[in-house]
Amino acid sequence: MSAATSATELEERAGALARRFAGVFGAEPDGVWCAPGRVNLIGEHTDYNNGFVLPFAIDRSALVAVRLRRPGQDPEADTDVVRLASTYAQTGLSRAEFSTGGLEPGLAAGWAAYPAGVVYALAQHAGASVPGFDLFLDSTVPVGAGLSSSHAVEVAVIVALNDLLGLGLDRPGMARLTQYAENEFVGAPTGIMDQSASLMGAEGGALFLDCRSLDSEIVPLPLAEYGLSVLVMDTRVEHSHSDGGYSARRQSCERGAAALGAESLREVPADADLSGLDHETQRRVRHILSENQRVLQVAQKLRDGAVDSIGELLTASHISLRDDFEVSCPELDLAVDAALAAGAMGARMTGGGFGGSAIALVRHDDEDAVRAGVLSAFADRGFREPALFTVLPADGAGHVQLTAPGRQ
Ligand code: ADP
Ligand code: MG
């Protein structure tokens, strides 16, 4: 798909959303904003250890149409009510409401927690008081697949409010604020990677991000030019951050760093002596140290134009996540093994683990065989059929130009 085609598609989606917004809320939106989901190419669980990650924004995104309340014009103009609508999970229209005044964690439930978390973070950490607004969400990022549908929602909301309220926030600043939204309001102890990818991704590139300094660099990821695809294999096993596995891993890492006398595992050399740690903590730490090295190696290969030689490092990352960090699951392992057996150049689970998606780097010529191999392996094991689709590196979040009337 060319850039021009995807831009037109986005404009068309935005136009349709603006019309639905007007139908539901009875007025035109002030604008439409877009924020992509992401795939993490490599660098898993390294973000909250101040390490390196290499995600890319994908061509699946959350769009929000937003209209601020205007004093004197709207019947409810002096209220701080936020009205939300989403075409969520094909269950038809999902509506929700909250007030921006006196917002505290717990005062907005369900998916309203994500936009509310952004309003809360803006008030707490950026001194911004947000008036009421109406918002219609339409997202093509699958939920719970490890492609960060939740951050796509948060990022779309913050770029919209940043523009509409003239807040002047920069992209790393918005990444931090959406992290606060997710950590403090939603209650998910996630790192900075997902929002950064959604905010700073670029078409045809991956975001090499140092999660300690937040320095970032777009490294080329010219998949199509090399006849390659990244195939997402969504196991449809729902992962959840709240079931304890994710926070247990964070605690292991913190324990390991403290026992090694370091502020974070980033400060621990790759060849550090880990023999003083208990066996489990050793394995957890070993994953983080080796994963950071793999990210550096993949980033260098991409800078050198050697995208076709990163496969083994992707697979090594999966083995480390499976055996040392122990965040894989039978479905993710099967997806990786079956993809490799059918000719993928490399494959790994992506996202936090315990379900969600794996990715495979595949030559176009092998894509059909890999798809067939994965589907039949899942059928043979009696697992639910996975959803398979390819993704391309896309631009980060921003305002979407509405299709001019007459061009539709
Ligand atoms: P993911 O890995 O996809 O981010 P999470 O569990 O972190 O999974 O976030 C999923 C949650 O994000 C959903 O349960 C819902 O609350 C919210 N969400 C994502 N997409 C939408 C949408 N299109 N409409 C409403 N809520 C959404
Ligand atoms: Mg999420």
Side-chain angles (χ1 to χ4, degrees):
M1 190 165 54
S2 74
T5 315
S6 63
T8 309
E9 276 177 16
L10 206 57
E11 284 173 23
E12 282 168 5
R13 262 180 76 204
L17 180 62
R19 289 190 291 277
R20 293 204 67 183
F21 179 100
V24 167
F25 295 116
E28 296 293 319
D30 296 329
V32 175
W33 287 262
C34 165
R38 65 99 187 91
V39 155
N40 191 17
L41 189 61
I42 193 161
E44 217 63 78
H45 288 270
T46 44
D47 65 342
Y48 56 81
N49 287 296
N50 281 343
F52 301 109
V53 292
L54 193 56
F56 61 93
I58 58 175
D59 48 348
R60 289 182 169 236
S61 54
L63 292 189
V64 293
V66 182
R67 183 175 198 273
L68 292 182
R69 299 201 183 287
R70 289 175 183 72
Q73 282 182 29
D74 294 332
E76 297 172 81
D78 52 355
T79 75
D80 52 10
V81 172
V82 174
R83 296 186 297 182
L84 304 170
S86 169
T87 44
Y88 181 31
Q90 287 120 27
T91 52
L93 199 60
S94 168
R95 306 276 308 251
E97 238 179 66
F98 66 89
S99 288
T100 61
L103 202 54
E104 291 292 338
L107 288 184
W111 73 273
Y114 296 98
V118 170
V119 170
Y120 177 78
L122 283 169
Q124 297 293 313
H125 298 282
S129 77
V130 179
F133 57 90
D134 291 337
L135 179 148
F136 202 127
L137 165 69
D138 166 48
S139 180
T140 52
V141 187
V143 171
L147 304 183
S148 237
S149 69
S150 61
H151 289 106
V153 174
E154 290 164 343
V155 168
V157 172
I158 204 165
V159 292
L161 293 177
N162 186 45
D163 280 358
L164 286 172
L165 299 171
L167 299 177
L169 299 165
D170 63 13
R171 301 236 153 199
M174 288 192 273
R176 274 280 180 243
L177 287 164
T178 48
Q179 184 186 9
Y180 295 141
E182 185 114 3
N183 294 168
E184 296 171 11
F185 197 92
V186 178
T190 53
I192 191 89
M193 167 174 68
D194 302 337
Q195 312 85 318
S196 301
S198 183
L199 281 155
M200 295 183 266
E203 195 188 324
L207 182 77
F208 173 60
L209 177 69
D210 178 337
C211 296
R212 182 169 63 185
S213 64
L214 294 194
D215 287 346
S216 66
E217 172 194 352
I218 297 293
V219 292
L221 186 60
L223 295 173
E225 284 171 36
Y226 281 75
L228 299 174
S229 298
V230 168
L231 179 69
V232 175
M233 304 174 282
D234 176 4
T235 63
R236 303 206 279 172
V237 176
E238 286 243 356
H239 74 93
S240 163
H241 284 157
S242 48
D243 67 7
Y246 184 91
S247 25
R249 294 305 179 280
R250 285 189 76 131
Q251 284 160 16
S252 288
C253 292
E254 282 163 20
R255 248 197 333 271
L260 292 163
E263 203 172 306
S264 79
L265 291 180
R266 172 65 180 280
E267 284 72 49
V268 176
D271 58 355
D273 175 10
L274 307 180
S275 58
L277 305 175
D278 66 80
H279 290 309
E280 183 185 290
T281 311
Q282 265 184 36
R283 291 199 302 278
R284 305 294 186 252
V285 171
R286 196 164 57 208
H287 166 70
I288 301 299
L289 300 186
S290 63
E291 186 79 347
N292 276 326
Q293 296 307 307
R294 285 185 289 270
V295 178
L296 294 172
Q297 288 167 27
V298 171
Q300 192 53 47
K301 282 178 183 289
L302 294 181
R303 285 188 204 102
D304 294 343
V307 60
D308 49 353
S309 71
I310 65 172
E312 279 177 22
L313 287 160
L314 302 186
T315 306
S317 167
H318 183 76
I319 291 167
S320 176
L321 287 156
R322 183 190 68 195
D323 298 345
D324 277 348
F325 218 60
E326 296 179 278
V327 289
S328 190
C329 66
E331 292 84 353
L332 286 169
D333 291 340
L334 184 65
V336 167
D337 291 345
L340 291 172
M345 301 167 78
R348 60 181 291 274
M349 52 159 277
T350 187
F354 308 110
S357 297
I359 54 168
L361 184 68
V362 180
R363 287 180 207 85
H364 285 164
D365 289 348
D366 297 330
E367 196 185 311
D368 289 345
V370 172
R371 283 175 181 266
V374 172
L375 289 175
S376 80
F378 271 63
D380 287 350
R381 283 278 287 274
F383 289 158
R384 190 174 170 198
E385 186 176 312
L388 306 180
F389 54 92
T390 55
V391 288
L392 285 172
D395 277 332
H399 182 252
V400 186
Q401 219 52 50
L402 286 175
T403 310
R407 278 190 53 204
Q408 293 165 24

